[in-house]
Structures are given as structure tokens and as C-alpha cells.
Amino acid sequence: MPSLTSPVAKLLLTASASALSLTAVTGCGVFTGSWDVTLEVTGEGSGDVSYAFSGDSDGTSESGVMLPWSMSQNVGYGFNDVAVTDAAPGTVCRIYVDGKLKDEQREPDAEGTVGCFVNLQ
């Protein structure tokens, strides 16, 4: 086994560190793509907002949120969604990707729910 000061050991340590650094950088979307995503809900009154960004497997729910509401995050590949329950007529959800509107739903259904969804690939 080479000592830690040998050229072979130094090369192996350098290669390992480089591989770990590359893995960390690609995990942030530097080489795989990343987008600025904004979830938005407009309307009167309040509603129960549920949302998830790419990579967020559990999602988040907030009850009794006063509208308008928005949340932004830089994300990689995956699903992004927002839904509002107990929404008043006229409630609108939108998802913007890099400042461009990608999905918009303009009216809650009969149960008072409106939702938007975008899959980034």
C-alpha cells in the first residue's frame, strides 16, 4: 500500500476530491439544467395552499393563506405544482419558469379547488 505522501496516493486523493466536487456541482443543476420557478395564486380572500418544487417529495401545505400568494425557488429537473382548496370564485393559479408563464388555471372547480402543474425536463 502506498504511503499518503507517495505520488500515487496524492493522485488518488486528488481524483476522489474532484469526483466529489463534480457530484456536488451537478446536483445543483449546473450541468443538468436549472430554472427559476415562481408559483403564484391570486384572488380575493384566503385559501388552503399546497405546493411542491422539483426535488421536494413531501410538498408543503399552508392553511388559511391570504391571497395573493407567491413562492419562488431555483430548481432542477422534476415536477412543480401548486393547488388551492377552499378558493373563492375568481382565484387563479400560475406557474412561471424563468419569467415565462407555463401554466395558468383561471377558475376553481365545483369543489373550490384550482391547481397548476409544470414538469421540467
Side-chain angles (χ1 to χ4, degrees), residues 36-119:
D36 292 321
V37 173
T38 299
L39 310 175
E40 175 183 274
V41 179
T42 60
E44 298 293 321
S46 64
D48 298 334
V49 177
S50 298
Y51 63 95
F53 288 100
S54 298
D56 180 8
S57 60
D58 295 329
T60 302
S61 296
E62 299 178 15
S63 299
V65 174
M66 293 302 297
L67 303 179
W69 172 93
S70 69
M71 181 75 60
S72 297
Q73 189 168 315
N74 183 269
V75 301
Y77 291 110
F79 303 103
N80 300 270
D81 60 82
V82 60
V84 184
T85 55
D86 296 327
T91 301
V92 177
C93 71
R94 295 180 185 95
I95 298 179
Y96 295 90
V97 177
D98 292 334
K100 296 178 183 171
L101 181 63
K102 294 297 182 177
D103 190 18
E104 176 181 64
Q105 300 301 317
R106 300 189 68 57
E107 193 66 36
D109 62 17
E111 288 80 38
T113 300
V114 61
C116 292
F117 172 84
V118 171
N119 182 11

